[in-house]
Amino acid sequence: MSALEKVATDPLHDVRAYAAGFEHWLAAPPDSLRAATAPLPNYADRVSAMAAMMRDLHDAGWSRYGWPEESGGLGGTILHRGAFWETLSRHHVPGMALFEHLEILAPALVAMGPPDFVSQALPALLSGQELWAQGFSEPDAGSDLASLRTVAVAGDGGFKINGRKIWTSWARYATWCLVLARTGTPESRHRGLTAFIVDLRSPGVEVRAIEQANGTDELAEVTFDDVHVSDARIVGHLDGGWKVAMHILSHERGTFAWFRHCFLYQQLTDGLEHGGADSDAQLGDALLDLAAVTTTSHAGLHAHAADDPLGPKAAFTKLLLCEAERSVNSWRYDLDADLAIGVQDDETAMRRQEYLFSRIVTVYGGSQQMQLETIAKQTLRLP
Amino acid sequence: MTADLHAEAEFLDVARTAFASSDGEEALRSLGWWELLAHLDDPELRPAIYAVFRAQGSELGSSAALGGLLAQPYLEHTDRVAGSVMSAIRRRSKTRGVVWVVVGDPADRELLIDRPGAGATIVAAADVSLRRIDVPGRLPLHEIQIDVDVLPSTIDEACAATARERSLAIGRIAISLEILGAAEKALELAVDYAGQREQFGQAIGEFQAVRHLLAWAQTDCVALDSTALHALRLGDDLPVGFDAVVKALAGRNGRRACERSLQVLGGIGFTTELDHHHLHSRVLALDGLLGTAASLSRELGLSLRTGGRHPGFPSALLLADG
Ligand SMILES: Cc1cc2nc3c(=O)[nH]c(=O)nc-3n(C[C@H](O)[C@H](O)[C@H](O)COP(=O)(O)OP(=O)(O)OC[C@H]3O[C@@H](n4cnc5c(N)ncnc54)[C@H](O)[C@@H]3O)c2cc1C
C-alpha cells in the first residue's frame, strides 16, 4: 500500500485525508471554480471571479480548514491551507489573485489581532466579501521600512492617521488596510511603530490606482488625511508594530513561497506542449529551482505549524522562490515568441503579465539585496 | 522534527571529528558505521548513516562507505554482510566508453558489478585487476581493468533490477550529501577569509559585492541541504525521480557554491596553498558519478515534457510527513 492510499478519514487531523476529501469534492466542481480558471487578463474580472469561487469554497467549508475555530475556521494548521491551494493549482486556478493576504497578513491578524474583530474579518476575507491590503511602504520608505513617516496621533478615544502609503497591493478592492504608522518620535525608527486596522471606507482615505508595467493595476497609492481609528483596532501593542511587521514578513518570505510555487509548477506543466528536446535542460533546471522551494517552504510550513517561525532563515526561501519564478518564466518566454510581442489573446496576455511580474518579484516583500544582507549578517556573521 | 535535527547535527559533528582526526576506514570503524548500515531501513538511524557522507566531503576523507552503501540493497539476495562488498559504479567516458570504478580502496573486500540486463556478479577484489587513479580532490578511485561482461552472474537479473533502482537512489543521495559537505567547507574557508583579508583599509567581507556572493553560496548550500534531507525523511515514500532532482541540484549548486567561494578567495584560492581546490575538485568528481547535473537536468525535463512526470508531486504526501 503506498502512503497515499493510507489515507485516514479524519480531515482535521490528517492533511492527506483533507486533501483527498477536497479532491473528491472537486470531481464535480462548482461553476465558479471553472470560471476562475479562465484566462482573465483584466484584473477586475479576475478579482470578481476569484471572490465568487472563494465564497463557494468557504460555504462548502474547504477554505475554513487551517484556521482556528475562534476566528471562524474549522481548526487544523497551515498545512491544511498548503494542501488547499496546492489542490486548486492542480485544478488550473491560475493564482491566488488578491487572496495572497490569507497567507501574508491573515496569520498575523489571527495571532495578534483583536479577537472579536478577527472572528468577523477572517470569514469575510475567506468568503471574498471583505478583502485586505498591506500599508507598509511609503514614497520615501522602501527598503528602509523603519524610516516610515505616516503618523498616528492619539486623541478622541482613538488615533488620527496622516500620511501616504504606496505600492499598496489590492487597496482598490480592499475594505481593510493594515497600516504601519509612527506613534513614537520621528527618530524612534522601528521602536515607535504601531499596526492599525484601517477601514478604507473611512472619511479621509483616498485610494489611487497605479497602472503597472505588466498591464495590471493591482497596486495603489493610499493617502490618509486625519483618518480616525479606534484603539480597539490595534494589532499587537502600541509601539509594537515592528513585531507585527516581522510576523507578516516572516510569512511573506518563508511560507508564502509554498503557496506561490504550486502555481509555478502548474505553469510549467500547462506549458509543456510548447517545449522541445532543445529546451529540456532548461525545463529540468527550472524543476530544480522549484524543488528547492518545495523543500525549504515545506520546512517553513512545518515550523509555523509548530509555532516556531523561521525568522531570518525565511530569507533563503524568499531568494529561492524568486529564482524559481524567474526560471519558470524564462522557460515559458524562450519557448513562445508571442510573449515578446505582447497581447494577441487572453492566454498570451496572462502569460506576458506573469513573465513581467517574475522580473519584479525580487523587489516586493524585501528586495533580493536586503535578503542577501540578512544572510550575510545573521547567518554568515560577516563584519 | 526539531529533536531529530539536533540529533542529526550532533552526529554530523562527531562524524566530522572522526574524519578530521583519522583515516576514513578508521573513522567508519570508530563510528560503528558498518553496523549502522545494516539498519538502512530504520528512519531513526538513516540520518546518521548518511551524515557520514557529508562529513567525508567536508573533511576530504575517503573510505569504502559509498561502495558499501550502494551494495546494501543487493545483499538480501546473497549471504554477505554489510561492509564485505563494495559496489562498482558504471560511468561513461567520452574516449574509452564504459568504465567501471570503485570509490575508495576495496582492500580485501568483494566487488559487486551490476550489469543491467545481465544481472550482478560478485568477485573478490583480489581476483580482478584494478588500477588506482588519484583523482584531484583527494578521492582515490580504482578502475576495473577486466571485461566484466564475461563474469558469471551471482544475482539474477530479476532480483538485481529491483536492487539496482534502490541502490541508485540511495547512492545519489549519499553522493549529494558528500558534495554538500565539500561545498559547505569551501564556503566556510571563503567566509573566514572575507573576515580577515583587508583591502582598501577594510575587511573585504564589508564590501557588499563580496557579502552577496557569499550569501548566494550559502543559499546554494541551503537549497541542497533542505532537498537532500527532505529525501532522507521521505525514505521509502520518495517520489520516483526525486533522487535525480537531489543529485542534479547537488552537482549544480555544489559547483556554484565552490565558484562563488573561489571568487571571494581571489588569487590564493587558485593555488594549492588552500584546500579550496581539493574541495572544488571533490565536487566536480562526484558530479561525474551516478549522473551529472547537466545530464540529469535534461532527463528530468524530458520525462516531465514527454511523460508529464513530476517528481515533486503528489505533495500532499510531503505536507503530511514532517
Ligand atoms: C509588485 C509589488 C507589490 C508590492 N506590494 C506591496 C504592498 O502590498 N504593501 C506594501 O507596503 N509594499 C508593497 N510593495 C513595496 C515593496 O515592499 C517595496 O518596493 C520594497 O520594499 C522596495 O522598496 P522601493 O521600491 O522603495 O525600493 P528601494 O528601497 O528604493 O530600493 C531600490 C533598489 O535599491 C536597492 N537597495 C536599497 N537599499 C539598499 C542597501 N542598503 N543595500 C543594497 N541595495 C539597496 C534595492 O535592493 C533595490 O534594488 C510592493 C512592491 C511590488 C514591486
Side-chain angles (χ1 to χ4, degrees), chain A residues 101 104 132-145 165-171 178 212 218-220 249 252-253 357 360-371 373, chain B residues 208 212:
Chain A
H101 273 322
I104 298 174
W132 281 77
Q134 167 188 332
F136 286 8
S137 306
E138 297 181 2
D140 290 326
S143 298
D144 186 10
L145 183 61
K165 295 290 176 181
I166 197 164
W167 320 127
T168 322
S169 302
W170 312 302
L178 192 77
Q212 290 166 218
E218 71 239 53
L219 291 178
L249 291 173
E252 185 163 3
R253 294 168 191 163
F357 186 76
I360 194 69
V361 294
T362 41
V363 169
Y364 79 78
S367 76
Q368 187 173 74
Q369 287 66 38
M370 294 300 105
Q371 305 314 309
E373 270 308 299
Chain B
Q208 234 182 31
H212 291 190

Side-chain angles (χ1 to χ4, degrees), chain A residues 86 265 280 289 295 298 383, chain B residues 211 226 252 305 310 315 318:
Chain A
E86 185 202 321
Y265 265 130
D280 282 343
D289 289 331
T295 63
H298 174 260
Chain B
R211 300 163 74 79
S226 160
R252 186 189 81 172
R305 182 169 59 80
H310 200 306
S315 63
L318 309 183

Side-chain angles (χ1 to χ4, degrees), chain A residues 39-295:
Chain A
L40 298 169
N42 178 302
Y43 204 75
D45 293 345
R46 211 183 308 164
V47 170
S48 348
M50 282 297 285
M53 179 194 82
M54 289 301 281
R55 167 138 219 168
D56 286 340
L57 294 173
H58 174 264
D59 293 351
W62 296 110
S63 68
R64 295 172 64 202
Y65 283 92
W67 298 104
E69 285 177 71
E70 57 275 21
S71 309
L74 295 175
T77 70
I78 191 170
L79 302 180
H80 286 91
R81 284 135 55 191
F84 173 77
W85 287 103
E86 185 202 321
T87 306
L88 290 178
S89 76
R90 269 198 262 124
H91 283 263
H92 305 284
V93 172
M96 293 172 88
L98 103 178
F99 287 90
E100 278 91 341
H101 273 322
L102 280 171
E103 295 307 332
I104 298 174
L105 280 188
L109 288 174
V110 167
M112 290 181 254
D116 289 353
F117 175 84
V118 174
S119 67
Q120 305 290 314
L122 184 69
L125 170 56
L126 280 171
S127 58
Q129 295 172 64
E130 292 182 3
L131 303 170
W132 281 77
Q134 167 188 332
F136 286 8
S137 306
E138 297 181 2
D140 290 326
S143 298
D144 186 10
L145 183 61
S147 72
L148 66 84
R149 294 205 297 247
T150 293
V151 290
V153 180
D156 279 354
F159 288 81
K160 279 221 174 336
I161 298 187
N162 280 285
R164 207 159 120 214
K165 295 290 176 181
I166 197 164
W167 320 127
T168 322
S169 302
W170 312 302
R172 272 176 69 201
Y173 306 98
T175 308
W176 304 102
C177 185
L178 192 77
V179 174
L180 209 52
R182 187 157 302 286
T183 39
T185 63
E187 301 76 38
S188 58
R189 302 265 314 157
H190 61 279
R191 289 179 304 279
L193 301 174
T194 303
F196 293 94
I197 299 164
V198 179
D199 187 337
L200 289 172
R201 298 161 297 191
S202 313
V205 174
E206 196 186 326
V207 177
R208 185 179 67 81
I210 301 173
E211 205 177 313
Q212 290 166 218
N214 67 349
T216 72
D217 55 0
E218 71 239 53
L219 291 178
E221 182 173 3
V222 186
T223 46
F224 301 87
D225 184 6
D226 274 344
V227 175
H228 175 82
V229 194
S230 103
D231 302 346
R233 294 283 163 80
I234 290 179
V235 178
H237 302 289
L238 183 67
D239 292 333
W242 194 251
K243 195 171 160 209
V244 179
M246 288 306 108
H247 190 288
I248 289 169
L249 291 173
S250 161
H251 273 277
E252 185 163 3
R253 294 168 191 163
T255 60
F256 179 68
W258 173 271
F259 300 88
R260 176 67 194 151
H261 100 301
C262 293
F263 296 99
L264 294 174
Y265 265 130
Q266 202 54 43
Q267 287 180 7
L268 271 193
T269 25
D270 287 347
L272 291 175
E273 80 276 8
H274 294 291
D278 54 351
S279 58
D280 282 343
Q282 196 184 356
L283 175 60
D285 212 42
L287 270 183
L288 300 188
D289 289 331
L290 281 170
V293 179
T294 305
T295 63

